[in-house]
């Protein structure tokens, strides 16, 4: 920097003035930080922004080695984790408004938002899109008929990714009972199977506008009906379900049938909630109910 450039800079303030200036900056910074942690106005989740407290980590993917997962750290002592899986065509960033709305009630909880990555999807004319598993068709064959499981291998790969995240949280000292798996639409399908097949006694599974895959893959063992992926302790897992009454993408009937299947598999705690006028989305009332349920399981300890 030359002499002329230096002459354009304002003179340095005296020490007392500089101290006052730094104090003002610190107060303003603290105010903005507190403002950023307040809950955003509750509305349908559609804003995809990433706050500064969010980290990006490389995440293994069956489709795209460059895919990232978002990690939103809790404030202070890390006492629990929510693993949230986005839907078909979605990204972790698209879930951030939801996280931001619920997070002020669960400051000590970290959020892990894996990215499905891009895979060719037959229903998308074979073009790559963000998906946890392939689907041959997106056509709704009937409210009471669950979709065919076209990509069983993809389902198992997605489930393993969730189990790997759980294993990582356990290594960090997080109690399995303070880990909740959640997902929307396709992400719900993976979340359900991951909870069903977990060897850990997790804190619960949150199902949003999704369905139970591989529902016809069950057997009777010692007089008890069990899903082919179901572990012995799985039926003790608490289930919270939210579904829009006007959902035409994943019909309410799929959710109701899935809940019935879970009951027949021995699940005794299923909190099933429906929302009038809601399509394939998440609205403010559902977010409030989600927060209430999560606080019951993952509140301050």
């Amino acid at each position: 920097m030359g002499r002329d450039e230096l002459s354009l800079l304002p003179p340095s303030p005296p020490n007392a003035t500089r101290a006052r200036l730094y104090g003002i900056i610190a107060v303003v910074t603290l105010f903005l930080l507190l403002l950023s942690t307040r809950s955003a106005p509750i509305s349908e989740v559609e804003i995809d922004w990433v706050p500064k407290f969010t980290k990006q980590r490389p995440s293994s993917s069956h489709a795209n080695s460059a895919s990232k997962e978002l990690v939103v750290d809790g404030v202070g002592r890390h006492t629990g984790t929510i693993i949230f899986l986005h839907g078909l065509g979605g990204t972790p960033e698209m879930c951030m408004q939801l996280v931001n709305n619920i997070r002020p009630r669960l400051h000590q909880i970290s959020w892990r938002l894996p990215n499905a990555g891009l895979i060719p999807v037959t229903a998308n004319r074979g073009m790559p899109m963000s998906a946890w598993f392939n689907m041959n068709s997106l056509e709704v064959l009937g409210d009471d008929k669950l979709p065919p499981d076209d990509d069983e291998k993809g389902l198992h790969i997605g489930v393993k990714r969730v189990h790997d995240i759980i294993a990582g949280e356990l290594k960090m000292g997080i109690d399995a009972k303070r880990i909740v798996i959640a997902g929307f639409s396709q992400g719900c399908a993976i979340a359900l199977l991951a909870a069903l097949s977990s060897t850990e006694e997790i804190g619960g599974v949150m199902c949003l506008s999704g369905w139970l895959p591989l529902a016809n893959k069950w057997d009777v063992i010692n007089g008890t009906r069990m899903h082919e992926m179901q572990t012995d302790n799985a039926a003790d897992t608490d289930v919270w379900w939210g579904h829009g009454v006007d959902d035409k993408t994943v019909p309410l009937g799929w959710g109701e049938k899935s809940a019935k299947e879970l009951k027949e598999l021995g699940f005794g705690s299923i909190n099933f909630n429906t929302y009038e006028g809601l399509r394939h989305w998440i609205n403010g009332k559902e977010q409030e109910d989600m927060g209430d349920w999560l606080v019951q399981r993952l509140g301050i300890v």
Side-chain angles (χ1 to χ4, degrees):
M1 184 178 289
R3 184 183 302 273
D4 292 340
E5 291 173 291
L6 283 172
S7 66
L8 298 176
L9 298 175
S12 299
N15 289 339
T17 302
R18 186 182 306 165
R20 286 195 298 271
L21 178 61
Y22 288 166
I24 293 170
I25 292 173
V27 170
V28 172
T29 301
L30 178 60
F31 172 77
L32 292 175
L33 178 61
L34 292 173
L35 184 64
S36 69
T37 60
R38 292 180 59 193
S39 176
I42 293 179
S43 61
E44 290 189 346
V45 180
E46 56 186 4
I47 302 174
D48 56 346
W49 63 282
V50 184
K52 292 181 180 179
F53 50 77
T54 302
K55 303 175 183 177
Q56 282 196 340
R57 297 180 186 168
S59 177
S60 61
S61 170
H62 64 293
N64 184 355
S65 60
S67 66
K68 304 279 186 181
E69 74 169 14
L70 295 185
V71 179
V72 183
D73 287 329
V75 177
R77 188 164 62 97
H78 178 190
T79 64
T81 301
I82 299 169
I83 303 168
F84 194 94
L85 285 72
H86 64 75
L88 178 68
T91 64
E93 290 84 357
M94 292 174 66
C95 304
M96 284 310 305
Q97 183 66 67
L98 172 66
V99 174
N100 190 55
N101 285 349
I102 296 178
R103 182 175 174 270
R105 303 177 64 183
L106 294 162
H107 277 302
Q108 292 180 313
I109 303 304
S110 292
W111 294 70
R112 301 286 300 271
L113 294 90
N115 192 342
L118 303 177
I119 63 171
V121 175
T122 304
N124 192 35
R125 294 182 292 182
M127 299 293 291
M129 67 183 300
S130 176
W132 294 103
F133 50 90
N134 185 30
M135 298 184 73
N136 289 336
S137 174
L138 300 179
E139 181 182 0
V140 176
L141 300 178
D143 287 0
D144 60 345
K145 185 176 182 180
L146 295 177
D149 302 304
D150 304 316
D151 183 14
E152 191 168 340
K153 179 180 178 181
L155 288 165
H156 282 275
I157 292 174
V159 166
K160 184 180 184 303
R161 288 188 61 190
V162 175
H163 287 172
D164 287 346
I165 294 174
I166 293 174
E169 296 300 297
L170 295 177
K171 287 182 180 178
M172 293 173 59
I174 302 302
D175 187 342
K177 292 182 179 179
R178 293 187 59 79
I179 297 175
V180 168
I181 311 172
F184 176 79
S185 194
Q186 245 202 7
C188 169
I190 296 294
L192 258 180
L193 284 185
L196 193 75
S197 57
S198 176
T199 58
E200 305 293 337
E201 295 183 16
I202 62 172
V205 57
M206 175 168 281
C207 308
L208 307 171
S209 305
W211 71 95
L212 173 64
L214 307 175
N216 61 333
K217 299 288 181 89
W218 58 271
D219 201 352
V220 176
I221 302 175
N222 296 327
T224 303
R225 181 179 176 182
M226 294 188 69
H227 190 280
E228 70 169 10
M229 296 176 65
Q230 185 173 345
T231 54
D232 291 339
N233 60 290
D236 296 328
T237 305
D238 289 340
V239 180
W240 189 94
W241 199 297
H243 217 116
V245 173
D246 294 341
D247 193 335
K248 305 303 181 185
T249 305
V250 177
L252 174 60
W254 290 10
E256 292 173 333
K257 185 171 179 58
S258 296
K260 181 180 178 182
E261 293 286 343
L262 290 174
K263 288 180 181 178
E264 293 181 359
L265 293 172
F267 283 73
S269 177
I270 303 175
N271 186 345
F272 196 91
N273 303 269
T274 59
Y275 299 90
E276 293 289 341
L278 181 62
R279 294 177 290 181
H280 198 56
W281 212 246
I282 303 171
N283 64 13
K285 180 61 172 71
E286 186 173 10
Q287 290 179 63
E288 291 177 354
D289 293 345
M290 291 166 62
D292 290 343
W293 187 81
L294 288 169
V295 167
Q296 290 175 9
R297 277 143 192 81
L298 304 175
I300 296 174
V301 294

